[in-house]
Amino acid sequence: MAKIGVIGDRDSVLLFKAVGLDVFFEDDGAHANRTLHRLAREGYAAVFVTEKLFSACAETIAEFQSQPYPAIIPIPDNQGSQGIGEKTLRQNVEKAVGMDILSNT
């Protein structure tokens, strides 16, 4: 079975531990970058990252975009969404199908 991890502040990601995901508590972008590299080396298939850390880890995430694994997915933290997850999804869909099919216009 593929390993799935979650990186973020304690209050935002603790619940993911209850459903059996591997949880890594990080509040700092530099520490989160190191954790992302470690999870990639350890063969994680997917890593959910809070939007705050997703922004702080942009360079590291860019390194993995051309690789099939790990899929790095932004999630809102306990303060709510910053819109990064939706923006990333929209960009990925547009890249895959050649146009923005998620637009409301």
Side-chain angles (χ1 to χ4, degrees), residues 7-93:
I7 303 173
D9 62 277
R10 183 177 192 81
D11 293 338
S12 298
V13 301
L14 187 59
L15 187 60
F16 288 95
K17 194 170 194 159
V19 295
L21 302 182
D22 297 335
V23 175
F24 303 90
F25 304 120
E26 299 292 352
D27 290 318
D28 176 64
H31 290 116
N33 281 324
R34 287 193 289 275
T35 302
L36 275 172
H37 280 286
R38 181 170 56 100
L39 298 182
R41 281 192 312 272
E42 292 177 5
Y44 277 74
V47 180
F48 293 94
V49 180
T50 58
E51 289 181 334
K52 179 181 173 187
L53 289 177
F54 192 87
S55 295
C57 298
E59 288 181 24
T60 300
I61 291 167
E63 292 175 29
F64 295 112
Q65 282 184 332
S66 64
Q67 300 176 17
Y69 299 104
I72 302 172
I73 303 143
I75 57 172
D77 62 13
N78 63 346
Q79 302 299 312
S81 177
Q82 299 173 358
I84 295 170
E86 181 181 349
K87 178 182 172 190
T88 302
L89 175 63
R90 187 175 306 280
Q91 289 171 342
N92 288 336
V93 169

